[in-house]
Amino acid sequence: MPADELPDAFHVTTDEQLRAVSNLTRHRIMAVLRFEPATITQIAERVGLAKGSSSYHVRLLERAGLVKVVRTRKVRGVTERYYAMAARSIVLPDPGEGGPDFLMRHALADLEASPSDGERHVRMAHLRLTEERFAELGARLQALADEYRELSDPSLPDTSLVFALFHPTPRQQAEGDAK
């Protein structure tokens, strides 16, 4: 299925789907399939897995509906399957108060695993904003991410953009919880 025929979003709603996306290896497999379909062998090479492990993780993603077979071909009597994402983006449920935020955990793991000699832009800023400005900044960040997603070229190396705009737990409450 051509990328322009994919649904815009896949909403994770079941425990099976949440378990599938919560695994870092499967997160990295989905990143491989983000721009173009790939076979188990191609996925294994890109992620650095054995073919058997790659196959296992792809089967779990497929069973959860997150990836699907988009093309097959016969190669020396064996059917080779090409897998792709089931949608352009995956929408995770809100982790809830104190719940694990898999997206941020995976992003941090990817950042820590990135080459230390590569160019990186990592910043943290503490802000004090009105609710209106908070919402405006969130919308601008989302628009910027969408703009650059449209400019992505699958022939170029992967680049990850992660942002988190949130209200941290008020300091007094956090200190009180620690006592």
Side-chain angles (χ1 to χ4, degrees), residues 97-130:
E97 189 172 330
D101 190 323
F102 298 115
L103 180 64
M104 293 310 293
R105 287 182 180 184
H106 294 334
L108 182 57
D110 285 347
L111 174 63
E112 290 172 342
S114 69
S116 60
D117 60 348
E119 184 175 4
R120 304 191 302 185
H121 303 275
V122 179
R123 304 289 181 271
M124 182 171 185
H126 296 280
L127 311 169
R128 290 188 175 186
L129 304 171
T130 65

mmCIF file of all heavy atoms in Angstrom, residues 97-130:
data_model
loop_
_atom_site.group_PDB
_atom_site.id
_atom_site.type_symbol
_atom_site.label_atom_id
_atom_site.label_comp_id
_atom_site.label_asym_id
_atom_site.label_seq_id
_atom_site.Cartn_x
_atom_site.Cartn_y
_atom_site.Cartn_z
ATOM 1 N N GLU A 97 -1.213 9.634 35.485
ATOM 2 C CA GLU A 97 -0.317 10.120 36.542
ATOM 3 C C GLU A 97 0.560 8.995 37.062
ATOM 4 O O GLU A 97 0.069 7.958 37.507
ATOM 5 C CB GLU A 97 -1.135 10.717 37.683
ATOM 6 C CG GLU A 97 -0.280 11.431 38.696
ATOM 7 C CD GLU A 97 -1.102 12.187 39.715
ATOM 8 O OE1 GLU A 97 -2.208 12.632 39.368
ATOM 9 O OE2 GLU A 97 -0.630 12.320 40.840
ATOM 10 N N GLY A 98 1.871 9.188 36.937
ATOM 11 C CA GLY A 98 2.824 8.202 37.440
ATOM 12 C C GLY A 98 3.004 6.990 36.556
ATOM 13 O O GLY A 98 3.814 6.119 36.862
ATOM 14 N N GLY A 99 2.261 6.908 35.448
ATOM 15 C CA GLY A 99 2.392 5.762 34.552
ATOM 16 C C GLY A 99 3.625 5.889 33.674
ATOM 17 O O GLY A 99 4.165 6.981 33.497
ATOM 18 N N PRO A 100 4.086 4.772 33.110
ATOM 19 C CA PRO A 100 5.275 4.834 32.246
ATOM 20 C C PRO A 100 4.966 5.536 30.925
ATOM 21 O O PRO A 100 3.952 5.270 30.303
ATOM 22 C CB PRO A 100 5.625 3.365 32.021
ATOM 23 C CG PRO A 100 4.342 2.628 32.234
ATOM 24 C CD PRO A 100 3.557 3.424 33.229
ATOM 25 N N ASP A 101 5.830 6.425 30.530
ATOM 26 C CA ASP A 101 5.700 7.111 29.251
ATOM 27 C C ASP A 101 6.668 6.428 28.286
ATOM 28 O O ASP A 101 7.845 6.770 28.228
ATOM 29 C CB ASP A 101 6.021 8.598 29.397
ATOM 30 C CG ASP A 101 5.671 9.385 28.149
ATOM 31 O OD1 ASP A 101 5.855 8.840 27.033
ATOM 32 O OD2 ASP A 101 5.218 10.529 28.278
ATOM 33 N N PHE A 102 6.167 5.418 27.564
ATOM 34 C CA PHE A 102 7.016 4.600 26.701
ATOM 35 C C PHE A 102 7.693 5.422 25.615
ATOM 36 O O PHE A 102 8.842 5.177 25.277
ATOM 37 C CB PHE A 102 6.217 3.453 26.075
ATOM 38 C CG PHE A 102 5.665 2.509 27.086
ATOM 39 C CD1 PHE A 102 4.299 2.379 27.270
ATOM 40 C CD2 PHE A 102 6.513 1.739 27.869
ATOM 41 C CE1 PHE A 102 3.790 1.512 28.209
ATOM 42 C CE2 PHE A 102 6.016 0.872 28.822
ATOM 43 C CZ PHE A 102 4.646 0.753 28.987
ATOM 44 N N LEU A 103 6.990 6.392 25.083
ATOM 45 C CA LEU A 103 7.558 7.216 24.026
ATOM 46 C C LEU A 103 8.829 7.919 24.514
ATOM 47 O O LEU A 103 9.867 7.872 23.864
ATOM 48 C CB LEU A 103 6.527 8.237 23.538
ATOM 49 C CG LEU A 103 6.982 9.180 22.439
ATOM 50 C CD1 LEU A 103 7.298 8.397 21.172
ATOM 51 C CD2 LEU A 103 5.913 10.210 22.161
ATOM 52 N N MET A 104 8.756 8.534 25.672
ATOM 53 C CA MET A 104 9.921 9.251 26.187
ATOM 54 C C MET A 104 11.024 8.280 26.605
ATOM 55 O O MET A 104 12.205 8.571 26.418
ATOM 56 C CB MET A 104 9.531 10.168 27.347
ATOM 57 C CG MET A 104 8.640 11.328 26.912
ATOM 58 S SD MET A 104 9.252 12.278 25.485
ATOM 59 C CE MET A 104 10.701 13.030 26.160
ATOM 60 N N ARG A 105 10.661 7.130 27.157
ATOM 61 C CA ARG A 105 11.675 6.140 27.519
ATOM 62 C C ARG A 105 12.424 5.654 26.280
ATOM 63 O O ARG A 105 13.642 5.504 26.296
ATOM 64 C CB ARG A 105 11.034 4.961 28.245
ATOM 65 C CG ARG A 105 10.605 5.301 29.645
ATOM 66 C CD ARG A 105 10.016 4.121 30.344
ATOM 67 N NE ARG A 105 9.619 4.482 31.694
ATOM 68 C CZ ARG A 105 9.147 3.640 32.568
ATOM 69 N NH1 ARG A 105 9.026 2.364 32.267
ATOM 70 N NH2 ARG A 105 8.792 4.043 33.766
ATOM 71 N N HIS A 106 11.690 5.387 25.207
ATOM 72 C CA HIS A 106 12.331 4.932 23.965
ATOM 73 C C HIS A 106 13.198 6.042 23.367
ATOM 74 O O HIS A 106 14.290 5.781 22.862
ATOM 75 C CB HIS A 106 11.290 4.481 22.943
ATOM 76 C CG HIS A 106 10.530 3.260 23.345
ATOM 77 N ND1 HIS A 106 11.008 2.307 24.208
ATOM 78 C CD2 HIS A 106 9.303 2.828 22.976
ATOM 79 C CE1 HIS A 106 10.119 1.351 24.364
ATOM 80 N NE2 HIS A 106 9.072 1.641 23.625
ATOM 81 N N ALA A 107 12.694 7.265 23.407
ATOM 82 C CA ALA A 107 13.466 8.386 22.868
ATOM 83 C C ALA A 107 14.771 8.549 23.637
ATOM 84 O O ALA A 107 15.837 8.751 23.038
ATOM 85 C CB ALA A 107 12.642 9.674 22.934
ATOM 86 N N LEU A 108 14.719 8.442 24.945
ATOM 87 C CA LEU A 108 15.926 8.561 25.760
ATOM 88 C C LEU A 108 16.887 7.413 25.459
ATOM 89 O O LEU A 108 18.093 7.633 25.318
ATOM 90 C CB LEU A 108 15.570 8.586 27.249
ATOM 91 C CG LEU A 108 16.738 8.766 28.203
ATOM 92 C CD1 LEU A 108 17.515 10.040 27.900
ATOM 93 C CD2 LEU A 108 16.248 8.769 29.646
ATOM 94 N N ALA A 109 16.375 6.197 25.323
ATOM 95 C CA ALA A 109 17.243 5.052 24.991
ATOM 96 C C ALA A 109 17.898 5.254 23.631
ATOM 97 O O ALA A 109 19.090 4.970 23.460
ATOM 98 C CB ALA A 109 16.433 3.754 25.000
ATOM 99 N N ASP A 110 17.148 5.759 22.651
ATOM 100 C CA ASP A 110 17.721 6.031 21.324
ATOM 101 C C ASP A 110 18.778 7.127 21.396
ATOM 102 O O ASP A 110 19.822 7.044 20.751
ATOM 103 C CB ASP A 110 16.630 6.421 20.326
ATOM 104 C CG ASP A 110 15.800 5.238 19.862
ATOM 105 O OD1 ASP A 110 16.202 4.086 20.112
ATOM 106 O OD2 ASP A 110 14.744 5.477 19.245
ATOM 107 N N LEU A 111 18.515 8.170 22.181
ATOM 108 C CA LEU A 111 19.481 9.254 22.341
ATOM 109 C C LEU A 111 20.768 8.727 22.979
ATOM 110 O O LEU A 111 21.866 9.008 22.503
ATOM 111 C CB LEU A 111 18.894 10.380 23.191
ATOM 112 C CG LEU A 111 19.844 11.520 23.561
ATOM 113 C CD1 LEU A 111 20.313 12.257 22.311
ATOM 114 C CD2 LEU A 111 19.175 12.474 24.533
ATOM 115 N N GLU A 112 20.626 7.945 24.031
ATOM 116 C CA GLU A 112 21.805 7.410 24.711
ATOM 117 C C GLU A 112 22.595 6.451 23.828
ATOM 118 O O GLU A 112 23.807 6.333 23.960
ATOM 119 C CB GLU A 112 21.397 6.734 26.014
ATOM 120 C CG GLU A 112 20.927 7.741 27.058
ATOM 121 C CD GLU A 112 20.324 7.111 28.295
ATOM 122 O OE1 GLU A 112 19.940 5.913 28.250
ATOM 123 O OE2 GLU A 112 20.227 7.817 29.316
ATOM 124 N N ALA A 113 21.918 5.776 22.896
ATOM 125 C CA ALA A 113 22.587 4.829 21.998
ATOM 126 C C ALA A 113 23.150 5.507 20.752
ATOM 127 O O ALA A 113 23.885 4.880 19.990
ATOM 128 C CB ALA A 113 21.610 3.729 21.582
ATOM 129 N N SER A 114 22.822 6.780 20.546
ATOM 130 C CA SER A 114 23.306 7.464 19.339
ATOM 131 C C SER A 114 24.813 7.702 19.447
ATOM 132 O O SER A 114 25.360 7.791 20.542
ATOM 133 C CB SER A 114 22.555 8.776 19.124
ATOM 134 O OG SER A 114 22.898 9.722 20.114
ATOM 135 N N PRO A 115 25.483 7.803 18.284
ATOM 136 C CA PRO A 115 26.938 8.002 18.302
ATOM 137 C C PRO A 115 27.322 9.272 19.069
ATOM 138 O O PRO A 115 26.760 10.340 18.836
ATOM 139 C CB PRO A 115 27.311 8.140 16.820
ATOM 140 C CG PRO A 115 26.154 7.566 16.071
ATOM 141 C CD PRO A 115 24.949 7.760 16.934
ATOM 142 N N SER A 116 28.267 9.124 19.982
ATOM 143 C CA SER A 116 28.673 10.278 20.800
ATOM 144 C C SER A 116 29.400 11.337 19.984
ATOM 145 O O SER A 116 29.439 12.503 20.373
ATOM 146 C CB SER A 116 29.542 9.822 21.972
ATOM 147 O OG SER A 116 30.698 9.168 21.498
ATOM 148 N N ASP A 117 29.958 10.943 18.850
ATOM 149 C CA ASP A 117 30.667 11.920 18.023
ATOM 150 C C ASP A 117 29.759 12.544 16.964
ATOM 151 O O ASP A 117 30.194 13.374 16.186
ATOM 152 C CB ASP A 117 31.895 11.280 17.363
ATOM 153 C CG ASP A 117 31.542 10.108 16.462
ATOM 154 O OD1 ASP A 117 30.381 9.627 16.510
ATOM 155 O OD2 ASP A 117 32.430 9.659 15.715
ATOM 156 N N GLY A 118 28.480 12.160 16.948
ATOM 157 C CA GLY A 118 27.538 12.719 15.982
ATOM 158 C C GLY A 118 26.963 14.038 16.472
ATOM 159 O O GLY A 118 26.986 14.350 17.666
ATOM 160 N N GLU A 119 26.445 14.812 15.545
ATOM 161 C CA GLU A 119 25.852 16.095 15.901
ATOM 162 C C GLU A 119 24.516 15.857 16.592
ATOM 163 O O GLU A 119 23.687 15.080 16.114
ATOM 164 C CB GLU A 119 25.638 16.956 14.651
ATOM 165 C CG GLU A 119 25.119 18.332 14.976
ATOM 166 C CD GLU A 119 25.003 19.236 13.769
ATOM 167 O OE1 GLU A 119 25.259 18.772 12.640
ATOM 168 O OE2 GLU A 119 24.649 20.402 13.957
ATOM 169 N N ARG A 120 24.325 16.504 17.734
ATOM 170 C CA ARG A 120 23.080 16.385 18.487
ATOM 171 C C ARG A 120 22.701 17.765 19.011
ATOM 172 O O ARG A 120 23.556 18.580 19.325
ATOM 173 C CB ARG A 120 23.229 15.436 19.681
ATOM 174 C CG ARG A 120 23.717 14.080 19.283
ATOM 175 C CD ARG A 120 23.629 13.037 20.362
ATOM 176 N NE ARG A 120 24.327 13.316 21.586
ATOM 177 C CZ ARG A 120 24.415 12.437 22.574
ATOM 178 N NH1 ARG A 120 23.849 11.260 22.465
ATOM 179 N NH2 ARG A 120 25.054 12.737 23.679
ATOM 180 N N HIS A 121 21.430 17.996 19.082
ATOM 181 C CA HIS A 121 20.909 19.241 19.644
ATOM 182 C C HIS A 121 19.950 18.853 20.765
ATOM 183 O O HIS A 121 18.811 18.494 20.503
ATOM 184 C CB HIS A 121 20.168 20.059 18.580
ATOM 185 C CG HIS A 121 21.013 20.374 17.390
ATOM 186 N ND1 HIS A 121 21.854 21.468 17.356
ATOM 187 C CD2 HIS A 121 21.179 19.739 16.208
ATOM 188 C CE1 HIS A 121 22.487 21.493 16.204
ATOM 189 N NE2 HIS A 121 22.093 20.452 15.484
ATOM 190 N N VAL A 122 20.419 18.890 21.990
ATOM 191 C CA VAL A 122 19.612 18.521 23.139
ATOM 192 C C VAL A 122 19.578 19.708 24.087
ATOM 193 O O VAL A 122 20.633 20.196 24.505
ATOM 194 C CB VAL A 122 20.194 17.279 23.861
ATOM 195 C CG1 VAL A 122 19.350 16.909 25.074
ATOM 196 C CG2 VAL A 122 20.308 16.103 22.898
ATOM 197 N N ARG A 123 18.403 20.175 24.385
ATOM 198 C CA ARG A 123 18.251 21.330 25.264
ATOM 199 C C ARG A 123 17.074 21.090 26.207
ATOM 200 O O ARG A 123 16.134 20.398 25.878
ATOM 201 C CB ARG A 123 17.943 22.615 24.473
ATOM 202 C CG ARG A 123 18.932 22.976 23.414
ATOM 203 C CD ARG A 123 20.263 23.448 23.993
ATOM 204 N NE ARG A 123 21.197 23.804 22.956
ATOM 205 C CZ ARG A 123 22.046 22.959 22.374
ATOM 206 N NH1 ARG A 123 22.062 21.705 22.702
ATOM 207 N NH2 ARG A 123 22.888 23.370 21.443
ATOM 208 N N MET A 124 17.164 21.736 27.353
ATOM 209 C CA MET A 124 16.036 21.741 28.270
ATOM 210 C C MET A 124 15.868 23.179 28.741
ATOM 211 O O MET A 124 16.846 23.845 29.078
ATOM 212 C CB MET A 124 16.285 20.828 29.464
ATOM 213 C CG MET A 124 15.134 20.762 30.419
ATOM 214 S SD MET A 124 15.442 19.476 31.635
ATOM 215 C CE MET A 124 13.901 19.518 32.499
ATOM 216 N N ALA A 125 14.656 23.664 28.737
ATOM 217 C CA ALA A 125 14.377 25.019 29.185
ATOM 218 C C ALA A 125 13.222 24.977 30.175
ATOM 219 O O ALA A 125 12.211 24.315 29.922
ATOM 220 C CB ALA A 125 14.006 25.908 27.995
ATOM 221 N N HIS A 126 13.386 25.628 31.287
ATOM 222 C CA HIS A 126 12.307 25.764 32.260
ATOM 223 C C HIS A 126 11.617 27.090 31.979
ATOM 224 O O HIS A 126 12.270 28.129 31.927
ATOM 225 C CB HIS A 126 12.863 25.728 33.685
ATOM 226 C CG HIS A 126 13.488 24.420 34.014
ATOM 227 N ND1 HIS A 126 12.747 23.318 34.379
ATOM 228 C CD2 HIS A 126 14.778 24.023 34.001
ATOM 229 C CE1 HIS A 126 13.573 22.301 34.600
ATOM 230 N NE2 HIS A 126 14.803 22.698 34.362
ATOM 231 N N LEU A 127 10.324 27.036 31.769
ATOM 232 C CA LEU A 127 9.562 28.217 31.370
ATOM 233 C C LEU A 127 8.432 28.472 32.356
ATOM 234 O O LEU A 127 7.991 27.553 33.058
ATOM 235 C CB LEU A 127 8.962 27.998 29.975
ATOM 236 C CG LEU A 127 9.900 27.490 28.873
ATOM 237 C CD1 LEU A 127 9.110 27.084 27.656
ATOM 238 C CD2 LEU A 127 10.930 28.550 28.543
ATOM 239 N N ARG A 128 7.962 29.678 32.355
ATOM 240 C CA ARG A 128 6.741 30.027 33.087
ATOM 241 C C ARG A 128 5.834 30.723 32.083
ATOM 242 O O ARG A 128 6.121 31.834 31.638
ATOM 243 C CB ARG A 128 7.050 30.933 34.266
ATOM 244 C CG ARG A 128 7.805 30.184 35.352
ATOM 245 C CD ARG A 128 7.960 30.992 36.598
ATOM 246 N NE ARG A 128 8.595 30.158 37.608
ATOM 247 C CZ ARG A 128 8.763 30.529 38.847
ATOM 248 N NH1 ARG A 128 8.340 31.707 39.251
ATOM 249 N NH2 ARG A 128 9.351 29.724 39.706
ATOM 250 N N LEU A 129 4.769 30.013 31.703
ATOM 251 C CA LEU A 129 3.898 30.479 30.628
ATOM 252 C C LEU A 129 2.445 30.496 31.077
ATOM 253 O O LEU A 129 2.021 29.665 31.887
ATOM 254 C CB LEU A 129 4.008 29.537 29.415
ATOM 255 C CG LEU A 129 5.398 29.317 28.831
ATOM 256 C CD1 LEU A 129 5.365 28.202 27.802
ATOM 257 C CD2 LEU A 129 5.919 30.604 28.222
ATOM 258 N N THR A 130 1.682 31.400 30.480
ATOM 259 C CA THR A 130 0.235 31.351 30.673
ATOM 260 C C THR A 130 -0.279 30.113 29.964
ATOM 261 O O THR A 130 0.407 29.539 29.098
ATOM 262 C CB THR A 130 -0.443 32.599 30.066
ATOM 263 O OG1 THR A 130 -0.242 32.567 28.639
ATOM 264 C CG2 THR A 130 0.104 33.899 30.657
#
